[in-house]
Amino acid sequence: MLFNRNIKKRDILIIIFIILVGYIAIDNYTIVFNFIKRLIYVVSPFIYALVFAYVLNPIMKLLERKLKLRRGFAILSTYVLIIGIIIILLIFVVPNVIDSIISMTSEIPTYMETVQGWIDSAIKNEDLYNIVKSAGLLEYIDGLTKKGGTLLIEILQGSVSSIFLITANIIKVGFGFLVGIYVLLDKERLIKGVKTLMFIMLKEEKGQKLLFWTRTYNRMIGAYIGTKALDSLIIGSIALIGLIILKSPYAILLALVVGVTNMVPYFGPLVGELVGGIVGIFISPSMAIGTVLFLIVLQQFDAWYLDPKLVGNKVGVRPFFIIFGVMVGGGLFGVVGMLLGSPTMATLNIMYEHKVSILKVRNRNLMKRVEEEEDDEQENEVDKEE
């Protein structure tokens, strides 16, 4: 009895301590937020290291398995490959993308004059002019054109600023890239340490459950994001070839947009088509139509052939829930949230099916009644239609 009383007293003391710490943190929230911000800044290179190690681990494992390389040589080969790709991008792609953005920014005033000319020509039609004027849209359209030009300039300038911001943080990212080598070298020991800590904190049963769902989530990320990245690389390459054939003035930039946005389900391809059409319309109507038609055909090829071949049913979630996951993830965590939306919903779907299977075993009569009620409702709907 004395032991149990001691346990209760300890729990009460822990609760009081947590409440006290929480009150102090809330009362001094600016100091706490500044401390957290500073802490994240300090540990960010190590976070980058973990991310790099996570991304590069499949390549390293592939080299170990297929080429029978030792861990050190596999890591060296992986880093040589990635550094080579980065150098190629820095030499051939990045300068071209920056030049294209700067060129488009300088030409936006001309594009806006062209749009204004189209609007002026359109409203010369007396019937159309009267409709627009009576609806009170004349001043709105004129202001929209000016705002559209300003918005485009801000977006493009923001894109260039983002590139320079990444360059400014290159030391931190580079340090994380290098530390990733040690994470890969010692990954088994690190994983073992994390598992041990997990079992200490959660005990064996809960630790095993968390470990199972972590592995499931990791598998879903690899099944979707890893395979989808390959799919987007292929689509971006085909887009580049097609846009060069169509003589698009910003072929590399547009192909990059198509490839990157293709990573986002459902919404991504539409963004690529929209950007291609907007850029093409300022060159000529035929260029816009040709670009949009080509990107639509490419998107259909991806949706009906390439994506099922590569991704298939690995994610296994209904489109509604994929769209829901992408929107919620994007709203909360931006681009990273949009990318993780599908594997997150896939993992939740597996968890749901797992719980349902347990419920069916433990409550067979209940599930049987639920299924019978669904069948009765469907029969009633059919009878009403007849």
mmCIF file of all heavy atoms in Angstrom, residues 340-381:
data_model
loop_
_atom_site.group_PDB
_atom_site.id
_atom_site.type_symbol
_atom_site.label_atom_id
_atom_site.label_comp_id
_atom_site.label_asym_id
_atom_site.label_seq_id
_atom_site.Cartn_x
_atom_site.Cartn_y
_atom_site.Cartn_z
ATOM 1 N N LEU A 340 3.357 15.183 -48.570
ATOM 2 C CA LEU A 340 3.117 14.122 -47.593
ATOM 3 C C LEU A 340 1.630 13.805 -47.422
ATOM 4 O O LEU A 340 1.283 12.880 -46.681
ATOM 5 C CB LEU A 340 3.710 14.519 -46.235
ATOM 6 C CG LEU A 340 5.235 14.608 -46.164
ATOM 7 C CD1 LEU A 340 5.682 15.111 -44.791
ATOM 8 C CD2 LEU A 340 5.886 13.263 -46.464
ATOM 9 N N GLY A 341 0.771 14.558 -48.106
ATOM 10 C CA GLY A 341 -0.670 14.351 -47.966
ATOM 11 C C GLY A 341 -1.103 12.947 -48.354
ATOM 12 O O GLY A 341 -1.838 12.278 -47.616
ATOM 13 N N SER A 342 -0.630 12.460 -49.506
ATOM 14 C CA SER A 342 -1.031 11.131 -49.994
ATOM 15 C C SER A 342 -0.526 10.004 -49.102
ATOM 16 O O SER A 342 -1.319 9.148 -48.691
ATOM 17 C CB SER A 342 -0.547 10.939 -51.436
ATOM 18 O OG SER A 342 -1.188 11.845 -52.294
ATOM 19 N N PRO A 343 0.786 9.936 -48.788
ATOM 20 C CA PRO A 343 1.227 8.852 -47.892
ATOM 21 C C PRO A 343 0.607 8.922 -46.504
ATOM 22 O O PRO A 343 0.378 7.884 -45.881
ATOM 23 C CB PRO A 343 2.751 9.036 -47.823
ATOM 24 C CG PRO A 343 3.035 10.391 -48.342
ATOM 25 C CD PRO A 343 1.938 10.715 -49.282
ATOM 26 N N THR A 344 0.302 10.141 -46.027
ATOM 27 C CA THR A 344 -0.354 10.259 -44.723
ATOM 28 C C THR A 344 -1.753 9.662 -44.761
ATOM 29 O O THR A 344 -2.142 8.891 -43.875
ATOM 30 C CB THR A 344 -0.430 11.742 -44.288
ATOM 31 O OG1 THR A 344 0.898 12.280 -44.212
ATOM 32 C CG2 THR A 344 -1.114 11.878 -42.942
ATOM 33 N N MET A 345 -2.512 9.996 -45.812
ATOM 34 C CA MET A 345 -3.859 9.454 -45.941
ATOM 35 C C MET A 345 -3.814 7.949 -46.172
ATOM 36 O O MET A 345 -4.692 7.213 -45.692
ATOM 37 C CB MET A 345 -4.599 10.138 -47.097
ATOM 38 C CG MET A 345 -4.869 11.621 -46.879
ATOM 39 S SD MET A 345 -5.744 11.988 -45.342
ATOM 40 C CE MET A 345 -7.311 11.167 -45.614
ATOM 41 N N ALA A 346 -2.796 7.474 -46.900
ATOM 42 C CA ALA A 346 -2.648 6.035 -47.122
ATOM 43 C C ALA A 346 -2.401 5.304 -45.804
ATOM 44 O O ALA A 346 -2.982 4.245 -45.549
ATOM 45 C CB ALA A 346 -1.498 5.770 -48.094
ATOM 46 N N THR A 347 -1.550 5.878 -44.952
ATOM 47 C CA THR A 347 -1.271 5.269 -43.649
ATOM 48 C C THR A 347 -2.512 5.280 -42.768
ATOM 49 O O THR A 347 -2.823 4.279 -42.101
ATOM 50 C CB THR A 347 -0.124 6.025 -42.941
ATOM 51 O OG1 THR A 347 1.028 6.057 -43.797
ATOM 52 C CG2 THR A 347 0.245 5.347 -41.648
ATOM 53 N N LEU A 348 -3.243 6.397 -42.768
ATOM 54 C CA LEU A 348 -4.488 6.471 -41.997
ATOM 55 C C LEU A 348 -5.516 5.461 -42.509
ATOM 56 O O LEU A 348 -6.268 4.869 -41.721
ATOM 57 C CB LEU A 348 -5.070 7.891 -42.062
ATOM 58 C CG LEU A 348 -4.265 8.976 -41.340
ATOM 59 C CD1 LEU A 348 -4.877 10.347 -41.591
ATOM 60 C CD2 LEU A 348 -4.199 8.695 -39.837
ATOM 61 N N ASN A 349 -5.522 5.260 -43.834
ATOM 62 C CA ASN A 349 -6.434 4.285 -44.417
ATOM 63 C C ASN A 349 -6.104 2.863 -43.957
ATOM 64 O O ASN A 349 -7.000 2.071 -43.647
ATOM 65 C CB ASN A 349 -6.355 4.365 -45.946
ATOM 66 C CG ASN A 349 -7.331 3.424 -46.622
ATOM 67 O OD1 ASN A 349 -8.531 3.482 -46.403
ATOM 68 N ND2 ASN A 349 -6.800 2.524 -47.456
ATOM 69 N N ILE A 350 -4.795 2.545 -43.889
ATOM 70 C CA ILE A 350 -4.374 1.227 -43.407
ATOM 71 C C ILE A 350 -4.744 1.055 -41.936
ATOM 72 O O ILE A 350 -5.211 -0.018 -41.513
ATOM 73 C CB ILE A 350 -2.849 1.048 -43.610
ATOM 74 C CG1 ILE A 350 -2.520 0.994 -45.105
ATOM 75 C CG2 ILE A 350 -2.348 -0.221 -42.924
ATOM 76 C CD1 ILE A 350 -1.033 1.013 -45.410
ATOM 77 N N MET A 351 -4.548 2.127 -41.162
ATOM 78 C CA MET A 351 -4.924 2.081 -39.745
ATOM 79 C C MET A 351 -6.426 1.848 -39.594
ATOM 80 O O MET A 351 -6.869 1.046 -38.752
ATOM 81 C CB MET A 351 -4.523 3.383 -39.055
ATOM 82 C CG MET A 351 -3.030 3.594 -38.935
ATOM 83 S SD MET A 351 -2.591 5.191 -38.198
ATOM 84 C CE MET A 351 -3.089 4.911 -36.495
ATOM 85 N N TYR A 352 -7.214 2.523 -40.428
ATOM 86 C CA TYR A 352 -8.675 2.365 -40.380
ATOM 87 C C TYR A 352 -9.074 0.927 -40.726
ATOM 88 O O TYR A 352 -9.887 0.312 -40.024
ATOM 89 C CB TYR A 352 -9.323 3.348 -41.356
ATOM 90 C CG TYR A 352 -10.787 3.094 -41.614
ATOM 91 C CD1 TYR A 352 -11.748 3.441 -40.663
ATOM 92 C CD2 TYR A 352 -11.208 2.503 -42.801
ATOM 93 C CE1 TYR A 352 -13.094 3.200 -40.884
ATOM 94 C CE2 TYR A 352 -12.553 2.252 -43.034
ATOM 95 C CZ TYR A 352 -13.489 2.595 -42.081
ATOM 96 O OH TYR A 352 -14.814 2.356 -42.299
ATOM 97 N N GLU A 353 -8.499 0.388 -41.803
ATOM 98 C CA GLU A 353 -8.830 -0.985 -42.206
ATOM 99 C C GLU A 353 -8.405 -1.986 -41.134
ATOM 100 O O GLU A 353 -9.091 -2.995 -40.908
ATOM 101 C CB GLU A 353 -8.157 -1.304 -43.537
ATOM 102 C CG GLU A 353 -8.752 -0.534 -44.715
ATOM 103 C CD GLU A 353 -8.051 -0.828 -46.021
ATOM 104 O OE1 GLU A 353 -6.983 -1.504 -45.979
ATOM 105 O OE2 GLU A 353 -8.558 -0.412 -47.087
ATOM 106 N N HIS A 354 -7.290 -1.704 -40.481
ATOM 107 C CA HIS A 354 -6.812 -2.582 -39.403
ATOM 108 C C HIS A 354 -7.807 -2.588 -38.245
ATOM 109 O O HIS A 354 -8.150 -3.654 -37.709
ATOM 110 C CB HIS A 354 -5.436 -2.090 -38.931
ATOM 111 C CG HIS A 354 -4.868 -2.869 -37.788
ATOM 112 N ND1 HIS A 354 -4.422 -4.168 -37.912
ATOM 113 C CD2 HIS A 354 -4.676 -2.526 -36.480
ATOM 114 C CE1 HIS A 354 -3.983 -4.598 -36.744
ATOM 115 N NE2 HIS A 354 -4.124 -3.626 -35.859
ATOM 116 N N LYS A 355 -8.294 -1.398 -37.873
ATOM 117 C CA LYS A 355 -9.270 -1.295 -36.780
ATOM 118 C C LYS A 355 -10.591 -1.966 -37.160
ATOM 119 O O LYS A 355 -11.230 -2.621 -36.331
ATOM 120 C CB LYS A 355 -9.517 0.176 -36.435
ATOM 121 C CG LYS A 355 -8.317 0.897 -35.827
ATOM 122 C CD LYS A 355 -7.970 0.346 -34.466
ATOM 123 C CE LYS A 355 -6.826 1.135 -33.836
ATOM 124 N NZ LYS A 355 -6.457 0.573 -32.499
ATOM 125 N N VAL A 356 -10.990 -1.812 -38.432
ATOM 126 C CA VAL A 356 -12.236 -2.429 -38.887
ATOM 127 C C VAL A 356 -12.138 -3.952 -38.852
ATOM 128 O O VAL A 356 -13.080 -4.647 -38.445
ATOM 129 C CB VAL A 356 -12.583 -1.945 -40.314
ATOM 130 C CG1 VAL A 356 -13.715 -2.774 -40.913
ATOM 131 C CG2 VAL A 356 -12.977 -0.478 -40.289
ATOM 132 N N SER A 357 -10.979 -4.487 -39.271
ATOM 133 C CA SER A 357 -10.795 -5.947 -39.245
ATOM 134 C C SER A 357 -10.861 -6.484 -37.823
ATOM 135 O O SER A 357 -11.428 -7.559 -37.574
ATOM 136 C CB SER A 357 -9.453 -6.315 -39.898
ATOM 137 O OG SER A 357 -8.370 -5.784 -39.158
ATOM 138 N N ILE A 358 -10.287 -5.731 -36.867
ATOM 139 C CA ILE A 358 -10.366 -6.138 -35.452
ATOM 140 C C ILE A 358 -11.816 -6.092 -34.971
ATOM 141 O O ILE A 358 -12.294 -6.996 -34.266
ATOM 142 C CB ILE A 358 -9.474 -5.236 -34.577
ATOM 143 C CG1 ILE A 358 -8.000 -5.453 -34.917
ATOM 144 C CG2 ILE A 358 -9.720 -5.500 -33.092
ATOM 145 C CD1 ILE A 358 -7.052 -4.504 -34.216
ATOM 146 N N LEU A 359 -12.525 -5.016 -35.381
ATOM 147 C CA LEU A 359 -13.929 -4.874 -34.985
ATOM 148 C C LEU A 359 -14.778 -6.014 -35.543
ATOM 149 O O LEU A 359 -15.667 -6.530 -34.861
ATOM 150 C CB LEU A 359 -14.468 -3.524 -35.477
ATOM 151 C CG LEU A 359 -15.912 -3.182 -35.113
ATOM 152 C CD1 LEU A 359 -16.058 -3.039 -33.603
ATOM 153 C CD2 LEU A 359 -16.344 -1.898 -35.814
ATOM 154 N N LYS A 360 -14.485 -6.445 -36.774
ATOM 155 C CA LYS A 360 -15.243 -7.539 -37.390
ATOM 156 C C LYS A 360 -15.037 -8.848 -36.640
ATOM 157 O O LYS A 360 -15.961 -9.652 -36.505
ATOM 158 C CB LYS A 360 -14.825 -7.699 -38.850
ATOM 159 C CG LYS A 360 -15.371 -6.636 -39.777
ATOM 160 C CD LYS A 360 -14.958 -6.899 -41.210
ATOM 161 C CE LYS A 360 -15.567 -5.861 -42.149
ATOM 162 N NZ LYS A 360 -15.160 -6.089 -43.557
ATOM 163 N N VAL A 361 -13.815 -9.053 -36.170
ATOM 164 C CA VAL A 361 -13.530 -10.286 -35.426
ATOM 165 C C VAL A 361 -14.199 -10.263 -34.058
ATOM 166 O O VAL A 361 -14.796 -11.249 -33.617
ATOM 167 C CB VAL A 361 -12.002 -10.483 -35.285
ATOM 168 C CG1 VAL A 361 -11.699 -11.660 -34.354
ATOM 169 C CG2 VAL A 361 -11.368 -10.718 -36.646
ATOM 170 N N ARG A 362 -14.115 -9.130 -33.366
ATOM 171 C CA ARG A 362 -14.636 -9.031 -32.006
ATOM 172 C C ARG A 362 -16.144 -8.797 -31.948
ATOM 173 O O ARG A 362 -16.783 -9.136 -30.959
ATOM 174 C CB ARG A 362 -13.922 -7.896 -31.271
ATOM 175 C CG ARG A 362 -12.431 -8.160 -31.050
ATOM 176 C CD ARG A 362 -11.783 -6.987 -30.333
ATOM 177 N NE ARG A 362 -10.365 -7.234 -30.084
ATOM 178 C CZ ARG A 362 -9.530 -6.342 -29.543
ATOM 179 N NH1 ARG A 362 -9.998 -5.142 -29.188
ATOM 180 N NH2 ARG A 362 -8.264 -6.636 -29.343
ATOM 181 N N ASN A 363 -16.703 -8.176 -32.984
ATOM 182 C CA ASN A 363 -18.132 -7.838 -32.983
ATOM 183 C C ASN A 363 -18.761 -8.260 -34.309
ATOM 184 O O ASN A 363 -19.190 -7.428 -35.110
ATOM 185 C CB ASN A 363 -18.326 -6.327 -32.768
ATOM 186 C CG ASN A 363 -17.726 -5.849 -31.474
ATOM 187 O OD1 ASN A 363 -18.330 -5.938 -30.419
ATOM 188 N ND2 ASN A 363 -16.504 -5.325 -31.560
ATOM 189 N N ARG A 364 -18.764 -9.563 -34.535
ATOM 190 C CA ARG A 364 -19.273 -10.080 -35.808
ATOM 191 C C ARG A 364 -20.745 -9.751 -36.014
ATOM 192 O O ARG A 364 -21.176 -9.415 -37.108
ATOM 193 C CB ARG A 364 -19.050 -11.588 -35.872
ATOM 194 C CG ARG A 364 -17.581 -11.978 -35.962
ATOM 195 C CD ARG A 364 -17.412 -13.476 -36.039
ATOM 196 N NE ARG A 364 -16.008 -13.827 -36.120
ATOM 197 C CZ ARG A 364 -15.545 -15.077 -36.153
ATOM 198 N NH1 ARG A 364 -16.401 -16.095 -36.120
ATOM 199 N NH2 ARG A 364 -14.252 -15.320 -36.223
ATOM 200 N N ASN A 365 -21.535 -9.877 -34.938
ATOM 201 C CA ASN A 365 -22.979 -9.597 -35.052
ATOM 202 C C ASN A 365 -23.237 -8.138 -35.403
ATOM 203 O O ASN A 365 -24.123 -7.822 -36.204
ATOM 204 C CB ASN A 365 -23.680 -9.962 -33.745
ATOM 205 C CG ASN A 365 -23.644 -11.460 -33.477
ATOM 206 O OD1 ASN A 365 -23.619 -12.251 -34.409
ATOM 207 N ND2 ASN A 365 -23.637 -11.837 -32.193
ATOM 208 N N LEU A 366 -22.466 -7.226 -34.773
ATOM 209 C CA LEU A 366 -22.628 -5.793 -35.046
ATOM 210 C C LEU A 366 -22.321 -5.486 -36.506
ATOM 211 O O LEU A 366 -23.102 -4.798 -37.175
ATOM 212 C CB LEU A 366 -21.705 -4.984 -34.134
ATOM 213 C CG LEU A 366 -21.652 -3.473 -34.401
ATOM 214 C CD1 LEU A 366 -23.016 -2.841 -34.168
ATOM 215 C CD2 LEU A 366 -20.599 -2.803 -33.518
ATOM 216 N N MET A 367 -21.193 -5.987 -37.015
ATOM 217 C CA MET A 367 -20.808 -5.718 -38.405
ATOM 218 C C MET A 367 -21.795 -6.359 -39.377
ATOM 219 O O MET A 367 -22.071 -5.805 -40.439
ATOM 220 C CB MET A 367 -19.393 -6.228 -38.668
ATOM 221 C CG MET A 367 -18.305 -5.511 -37.875
ATOM 222 S SD MET A 367 -18.358 -3.717 -38.072
ATOM 223 C CE MET A 367 -18.039 -3.567 -39.833
ATOM 224 N N LYS A 368 -22.324 -7.505 -38.990
ATOM 225 C CA LYS A 368 -23.315 -8.157 -39.846
ATOM 226 C C LYS A 368 -24.567 -7.304 -39.954
ATOM 227 O O LYS A 368 -25.146 -7.149 -41.042
ATOM 228 C CB LYS A 368 -23.646 -9.536 -39.271
ATOM 229 C CG LYS A 368 -24.540 -10.384 -40.175
ATOM 230 C CD LYS A 368 -24.757 -11.766 -39.569
ATOM 231 C CE LYS A 368 -25.644 -12.601 -40.499
ATOM 232 N NZ LYS A 368 -25.887 -13.955 -39.926
ATOM 233 N N ARG A 369 -25.008 -6.718 -38.801
ATOM 234 C CA ARG A 369 -26.188 -5.845 -38.818
ATOM 235 C C ARG A 369 -25.931 -4.597 -39.664
ATOM 236 O O ARG A 369 -26.816 -4.137 -40.392
ATOM 237 C CB ARG A 369 -26.566 -5.442 -37.387
ATOM 238 C CG ARG A 369 -27.173 -6.551 -36.563
ATOM 239 C CD ARG A 369 -27.955 -5.996 -35.373
ATOM 240 N NE ARG A 369 -27.138 -5.142 -34.545
ATOM 241 C CZ ARG A 369 -26.404 -5.591 -33.523
ATOM 242 N NH1 ARG A 369 -26.366 -6.894 -33.238
ATOM 243 N NH2 ARG A 369 -25.705 -4.759 -32.788
ATOM 244 N N VAL A 370 -24.720 -4.026 -39.553
ATOM 245 C CA VAL A 370 -24.365 -2.843 -40.337
ATOM 246 C C VAL A 370 -24.434 -3.142 -41.834
ATOM 247 O O VAL A 370 -24.997 -2.365 -42.618
ATOM 248 C CB VAL A 370 -22.952 -2.336 -39.951
ATOM 249 C CG1 VAL A 370 -22.485 -1.260 -40.935
ATOM 250 C CG2 VAL A 370 -22.945 -1.798 -38.537
ATOM 251 N N GLU A 371 -23.879 -4.290 -42.238
ATOM 252 C CA GLU A 371 -23.891 -4.670 -43.656
ATOM 253 C C GLU A 371 -25.316 -4.927 -44.132
ATOM 254 O O GLU A 371 -25.682 -4.571 -45.257
ATOM 255 C CB GLU A 371 -23.023 -5.911 -43.861
ATOM 256 C CG GLU A 371 -21.525 -5.633 -43.673
ATOM 257 C CD GLU A 371 -20.693 -6.895 -43.728
ATOM 258 O OE1 GLU A 371 -21.283 -7.994 -43.878
ATOM 259 O OE2 GLU A 371 -19.450 -6.784 -43.621
ATOM 260 N N GLU A 372 -26.134 -5.564 -43.277
ATOM 261 C CA GLU A 372 -27.532 -5.828 -43.652
ATOM 262 C C GLU A 372 -28.306 -4.519 -43.803
ATOM 263 O O GLU A 372 -29.125 -4.373 -44.723
ATOM 264 C CB GLU A 372 -28.189 -6.707 -42.595
ATOM 265 C CG GLU A 372 -27.704 -8.159 -42.629
ATOM 266 C CD GLU A 372 -28.283 -8.981 -41.488
ATOM 267 O OE1 GLU A 372 -28.952 -8.372 -40.612
ATOM 268 O OE2 GLU A 372 -28.071 -10.201 -41.470
ATOM 269 N N GLU A 373 -28.047 -3.554 -42.916
ATOM 270 C CA GLU A 373 -28.723 -2.251 -43.017
ATOM 271 C C GLU A 373 -28.332 -1.529 -44.298
ATOM 272 O O GLU A 373 -29.167 -0.902 -44.954
ATOM 273 C CB GLU A 373 -28.367 -1.393 -41.800
ATOM 274 C CG GLU A 373 -29.048 -1.849 -40.517
ATOM 275 C CD GLU A 373 -28.581 -1.063 -39.308
ATOM 276 O OE1 GLU A 373 -27.758 -0.140 -39.491
ATOM 277 O OE2 GLU A 373 -29.039 -1.360 -38.186
ATOM 278 N N GLU A 374 -27.055 -1.625 -44.680
ATOM 279 C CA GLU A 374 -26.602 -1.003 -45.931
ATOM 280 C C GLU A 374 -27.288 -1.648 -47.120
ATOM 281 O O GLU A 374 -27.728 -0.968 -48.055
ATOM 282 C CB GLU A 374 -25.082 -1.130 -46.059
ATOM 283 C CG GLU A 374 -24.314 -0.227 -45.113
ATOM 284 C CD GLU A 374 -22.815 -0.348 -45.304
ATOM 285 O OE1 GLU A 374 -22.389 -1.186 -46.131
ATOM 286 O OE2 GLU A 374 -22.075 0.383 -44.614
ATOM 287 N N ASP A 375 -27.396 -3.000 -47.087
ATOM 288 C CA ASP A 375 -28.070 -3.714 -48.183
ATOM 289 C C ASP A 375 -29.537 -3.324 -48.266
ATOM 290 O O ASP A 375 -30.086 -3.134 -49.373
ATOM 291 C CB ASP A 375 -27.940 -5.228 -47.984
ATOM 292 C CG ASP A 375 -26.499 -5.712 -48.132
ATOM 293 O OD1 ASP A 375 -25.711 -4.990 -48.800
ATOM 294 O OD2 ASP A 375 -26.164 -6.788 -47.601
ATOM 295 N N ASP A 376 -30.193 -3.184 -47.099
ATOM 296 C CA ASP A 376 -31.610 -2.789 -47.087
ATOM 297 C C ASP A 376 -31.795 -1.382 -47.659
ATOM 298 O O ASP A 376 -32.748 -1.129 -48.412
ATOM 299 C CB ASP A 376 -32.155 -2.841 -45.653
ATOM 300 C CG ASP A 376 -32.258 -4.271 -45.128
ATOM 301 O OD1 ASP A 376 -32.283 -5.196 -45.968
ATOM 302 O OD2 ASP A 376 -32.283 -4.440 -43.893
ATOM 303 N N GLU A 377 -30.895 -0.455 -47.289
ATOM 304 C CA GLU A 377 -30.985 0.919 -47.801
ATOM 305 C C GLU A 377 -30.819 0.944 -49.317
ATOM 306 O O GLU A 377 -31.533 1.659 -50.023
ATOM 307 C CB GLU A 377 -29.918 1.788 -47.143
ATOM 308 C CG GLU A 377 -30.205 2.113 -45.688
ATOM 309 C CD GLU A 377 -29.120 2.956 -45.054
ATOM 310 O OE1 GLU A 377 -28.161 3.314 -45.775
ATOM 311 O OE2 GLU A 377 -29.212 3.250 -43.850
ATOM 312 N N GLN A 378 -29.870 0.145 -49.849
ATOM 313 C CA GLN A 378 -29.671 0.092 -51.293
ATOM 314 C C GLN A 378 -30.892 -0.485 -51.992
ATOM 315 O O GLN A 378 -31.313 -0.001 -53.048
ATOM 316 C CB GLN A 378 -28.427 -0.751 -51.610
ATOM 317 C CG GLN A 378 -27.120 -0.070 -51.207
ATOM 318 C CD GLN A 378 -25.910 -0.934 -51.491
ATOM 319 O OE1 GLN A 378 -26.040 -2.066 -51.958
ATOM 320 N NE2 GLN A 378 -24.737 -0.406 -51.189
ATOM 321 N N GLU A 379 -31.491 -1.523 -51.392
ATOM 322 C CA GLU A 379 -32.699 -2.119 -51.988
ATOM 323 C C GLU A 379 -33.856 -1.123 -51.979
ATOM 324 O O GLU A 379 -34.632 -1.045 -52.950
ATOM 325 C CB GLU A 379 -33.084 -3.381 -51.202
ATOM 326 C CG GLU A 379 -32.136 -4.552 -51.433
ATOM 327 C CD GLU A 379 -32.494 -5.759 -50.602
ATOM 328 O OE1 GLU A 379 -33.519 -5.690 -49.880
ATOM 329 O OE2 GLU A 379 -31.774 -6.772 -50.669
ATOM 330 N N ASN A 380 -33.997 -0.348 -50.889
ATOM 331 C CA ASN A 380 -35.063 0.660 -50.810
ATOM 332 C C ASN A 380 -34.880 1.741 -51.856
ATOM 333 O O ASN A 380 -35.850 2.205 -52.468
ATOM 334 C CB ASN A 380 -35.092 1.291 -49.407
ATOM 335 C CG ASN A 380 -35.532 0.316 -48.342
ATOM 336 O OD1 ASN A 380 -36.292 -0.614 -48.639
ATOM 337 N ND2 ASN A 380 -35.097 0.526 -47.108
ATOM 338 N N GLU A 381 -33.627 2.145 -52.097
ATOM 339 C CA GLU A 381 -33.359 3.158 -53.116
ATOM 340 C C GLU A 381 -33.709 2.639 -54.499
ATOM 341 O O GLU A 381 -34.263 3.344 -55.330
ATOM 342 C CB GLU A 381 -31.891 3.576 -53.062
ATOM 343 C CG GLU A 381 -31.544 4.415 -51.827
ATOM 344 C CD GLU A 381 -30.072 4.771 -51.772
ATOM 345 O OE1 GLU A 381 -29.323 4.357 -52.688
ATOM 346 O OE2 GLU A 381 -29.656 5.445 -50.795
#
